[in-house]
Amino acid sequence: MDTKPTYTIFLGQQRLLTAALREVLATLKELHRTTRDPLLVFNDLTGRTVDFDLSGTLDEVLAREAPAPAKPGPGRPKLGVVSREVSLLPRHWDWLESHPNGASAALRRLIDEARKADPAAERRRMAILPTDRFLTVMGGDLPGAEEASRALYAGDGVAFRSLVKDWPEDIRLHVLHLSAPAFELEAAT
């Protein structure tokens, strides 16, 4: 679940590339020189479209898109700890603070335990939203798109695959790739 993201480039309904960020940026840089046709780039972990500033050399583009270094502040930034606000009722804060190592450590433990308790359900949950976002952008006007989204959330892989079977090949293949973890439990039974 903590995998490095891949990105997918589409030119209209044609999938050009699915790869890690470095390869995608190199390809985009080349395409930027050779085509004026609109390209869509998707982050496959989130399903969101992303835009990159392609000005300058490839090294400059890569440097701009590299993850920002952790900001110094509270917590342990060298470990990747990020400080954010959480709103809880007083009884929740009391319960958290009664645990060893404080509220933050207790929250991290609870989240890790929940993720490990049912890894298949976690993979399913993590596949549904990106798939639905991709569906909305690339398949929103295709026949059966709304029904496909309902089947995705219902975990009905048979209906989902049936609804997308006549879609343009690259869109169909990519949506099936993104949605595969959402239907793992179905395939196992």
Side-chain angles (χ1 to χ4, degrees):
M1 279 178 269
D2 294 325
T3 61
K4 294 205 181 236
T6 57
Y7 296 82
T8 300
I9 304 171
F10 271 87
L11 173 63
Q13 296 180 341
Q14 180 185 7
R15 180 174 58 177
L16 301 180
L17 176 71
T18 297
L21 183 61
R22 181 177 192 81
E23 187 177 348
V24 164
L25 290 173
T27 301
L28 285 172
K29 200 64 180 135
E30 180 61 31
L31 288 169
H32 185 67
R33 284 193 287 273
T34 60
T35 185
R36 292 291 167 232
D37 294 331
L39 299 168
L40 281 176
V41 182
F42 292 89
N43 177 325
D44 294 330
L45 282 180
T46 66
R48 288 190 168 103
T49 57
V50 291
D51 289 317
F52 298 107
D53 177 358
L54 299 174
S55 61
T57 67
L58 179 58
D59 288 336
E60 291 169 339
V61 173
L62 290 169
R64 266 194 306 276
E65 297 303 328
K71 296 178 185 175
R76 296 186 170 119
K78 288 183 181 179
L79 298 177
V81 176
V82 177
S83 179
R84 292 191 184 165
E85 183 177 329
V86 175
S87 300
L88 299 172
L89 295 171
R91 68 177 182 269
H92 299 136
W93 283 115
D94 291 342
W95 185 86
L96 284 170
E97 289 170 354
S98 72
H99 284 78
N101 302 321
S104 293
L107 281 172
R108 286 191 296 271
R109 275 193 307 276
L110 287 170
I111 291 167
D112 287 341
E113 288 170 12
R115 290 177 72 192
K116 291 176 187 173
D118 192 351
E122 179 70 5
R123 282 191 302 279
R124 180 180 184 277
R125 186 185 69 75
M126 295 297 291
I128 288 174
L129 191 54
T131 303
D132 192 45
R133 286 178 179 144
F134 178 80
L135 272 172
T136 300
V137 174
M138 294 301 290
D141 292 334
L142 294 173
E146 192 172 321
E147 294 82 2
S149 183
R150 282 193 209 103
L152 173 68
Y153 280 96
D156 187 348
V158 172
F160 183 82
R161 287 184 288 280
S162 174
L163 288 160
V164 303
K165 73 177 172 26
D166 294 326
W167 286 8
E169 182 178 17
D170 286 349
I171 294 174
R172 177 179 45 82
L173 291 174
H174 195 64
V175 81
L176 291 173
H177 166 73
L178 291 175
S179 67
F183 304 119
E184 279 180 351
L185 295 175
E186 178 187 74
T189 57

